[in-house]
Amino acid sequence: MSIGSQSYADDPRNETVLIHVNGQLLPRSEAKVSVFDAGFVLGDGVWEGFRLIRGRIAFMERHLDRLFAGARAIDLDIGRSRIELAAALYETVVANDMVDGVHIRLMVTRGLKKTPNQDPRMTVGPATLVIVAEWKEPAPTLFKRGLHLASTPIRCTPADMFDMRLNSHSRLNLIIALNHAIKAGADEALMLDPQGFVSSCNATNFFMVKRGVILTSTGDYCFNGITRAHVIDLARANNIPIELRHFTLSDVANADEAFVTGTFAGVTPATRLDGKLIGNGKPGPRTEAMATFYKRLRDAEGA
C-alpha cells in the first residue's frame, strides 16, 4: 500500500479544530480566504511546518528564521513580528487545547489581489496569515515498512531558476515528481540535481549509508531542511562518519540502508528504490541510531 513521508494516523479531533485566519480563530468549515488571494491565484507565499512537543513548539526560532528568510527572498512583507507570529502559534494550539502530537502549518501569502495576475503591485491588502494546527502522528507502519522510492525525470532546480531552499506555496514541480512516483507504484520521488546527482525526495531530504558512512547531498539543490541540519550535527556529535557530497542513483541502489528527514516524521527509513530493496529492505542500524538521536533532541524541546 502506498503511504508517503507525510502519511498520518487519522484523528477525529481534527474535524473540530479552530483555524487561525488573519487573527480570527474559526471553525474548520468557516476558515476561508478570498479567490483573489495571491496564494490561491498564484501560489505566491511561503509557509513553515512546526511540531508541538509537550506544550512547546520545537525549534521555533530556527523555523521562524527560515520563514522570514523565505519572505525576504520573494519581497513579501509578512506584516507581523516574530513575537506576534509566536503568539499566534501558541494562541492557536491553546485555543484547541493541544499539548502534544501536533503538527502546525503556518502559511503567509502576499494577500488580496486587485485582479488575478502575477504583478505584486496589484496587491491591495496586507499579507494573509493562516495557521492550521492538527493532531498528527506518523502512520504506525511508516518506520517499520519504510518508504518505497522511485526515481523521476523531474529535476531539482538551481537557485537562479527556482530555489529549492524556499518553502514556497508553489510546489508544482514536486507534485509532478510525486505523481511520477505514485504511477510507478512508489510512495515518494527521489529527485536528481541538474548534473544528475541525487538531491532530495519530493517532500523530504535524503540520506544513504554505505559501510557505516552516512552520505547526503551537498545541499546546493535540496530543501533547506532543519531536520536535515540536526541530523548532520547529531552524526558529527556522536562520531558517526557523515559526508556531504555528490552520489548517484547507482550508489543508492548499492547502499546498505537509506532514510529521509523532515519536520513531520523526523527520520524515516527508505527501503526500496525503483522496486528493488535498499540493503536488506529493513531499517538499518544507522537509520535507527539517527532516529533515536533526533527523537531525543526533539523531545528535549518539550516542557
Side-chain angles (χ1 to χ4, degrees), residues 2-301:
S2 183
I3 44 178
S5 62
Q6 297 172 323
S7 294
Y8 61 94
D10 286 330
D11 193 314
R13 293 176 293 179
N14 290 329
E15 296 304 313
T16 56
V17 294
L18 296 173
I19 311 297
H20 179 114
V21 182
N22 289 328
Q24 290 185 288
L25 287 164
L26 301 171
R28 192 183 192 103
S29 61
E30 298 175 24
K32 299 176 174 66
V33 297
S34 169
V35 296
F36 288 95
D37 188 86
F40 177 77
V41 173
L42 301 160
D44 184 3
V46 289
W47 60 273
E48 197 61 45
F50 304 83
R51 292 290 288 176
L52 183 69
I53 307 293
R54 295 200 297 274
R56 290 189 62 187
I57 296 172
F59 315 120
M60 184 174 67
E61 293 303 320
R62 291 188 70 162
H63 282 280
L64 290 177
D65 284 345
R66 187 169 65 178
L67 179 76
F68 276 93
R72 284 193 299 272
I74 64 171
D75 293 319
L76 189 160
D77 180 7
I78 293 176
R80 289 91 167 169
S81 68
R82 294 172 69 98
I83 292 174
E84 288 171 323
L85 288 181
L89 287 164
Y90 277 108
E91 179 187 22
T92 303
V93 297
V94 169
N96 285 297
D97 198 24
M98 293 170 163
V99 177
D100 198 33
V102 173
H103 184 260
I104 307 164
R105 185 148 175 151
L106 183 155
M107 297 164 276
V108 185
T109 75
R110 203 174 299 274
L112 198 65
K113 305 282 292 187
K114 184 176 181 180
T115 189
N117 67 24
Q118 70 183 44
D119 191 335
R121 293 168 295 187
M122 296 293 178
T123 307
V124 294
T128 298
L129 171 66
V130 174
I131 301 172
V132 179
E134 296 176 299
W135 282 278
K136 276 186 180 178
E137 292 286 9
T141 58
L142 195 56
F143 195 91
K144 183 177 179 180
R145 172 189 177 276
L147 292 173
H148 296 177
L149 308 179
S151 56
T152 172
I154 306 301
R155 298 291 178 102
C156 294
T157 47
D160 60 356
M161 293 179 65
F162 184 89
D163 195 344
M164 288 282 293
R165 294 168 293 185
L166 288 175
N167 272 358
S168 163
H169 275 221
S170 177
R171 315 296 275 179
L172 277 180
N173 56 332
L174 305 174
I175 293 168
I176 294 169
L178 177 56
N179 279 336
H180 277 277
I182 292 170
K183 289 176 181 177
D187 309 316
E188 295 266 333
L190 184 59
M191 302 174 68
L192 308 181
D193 68 20
Q195 284 74 47
F197 298 111
V198 173
S199 180
S200 76
C201 294
N202 59 274
T204 53
N205 279 309
F206 181 79
F207 294 75
M208 60 166 272
V209 181
K210 187 67 176 178
R211 291 194 278 281
V213 180
I214 300 175
L215 304 174
T216 191
S217 71
T218 61
D220 293 334
Y221 302 97
C222 71
F223 303 117
N224 179 23
I226 291 170
T227 308
R228 177 182 192 263
H230 282 310
V231 165
I232 292 168
D233 291 343
L234 285 166
R236 290 168 174 164
N238 288 279
N239 297 314
I240 296 174
I242 187 165
E243 298 178 8
L244 279 64
R245 65 170 175 82
H246 294 314
F247 55 92
T248 66
L249 286 173
S250 294
D251 294 323
V252 178
N254 291 293
D256 299 321
E257 53 184 295
F259 60 89
V260 303
T261 60
T263 296
F264 172 59
V267 175
T268 303
T271 54
R272 287 178 182 264
L273 173 63
D274 292 331
K276 298 181 180 179
L277 295 181
I278 298 175
N280 63 6
K282 298 178 181 179
R286 289 294 195 224
T287 301
E288 291 177 340
M290 298 317 302
T292 299
F293 292 143
Y294 178 72
K295 187 176 185 301
R296 288 174 184 166
L297 178 69
R298 194 182 70 180
D299 287 352
E301 287 280 299

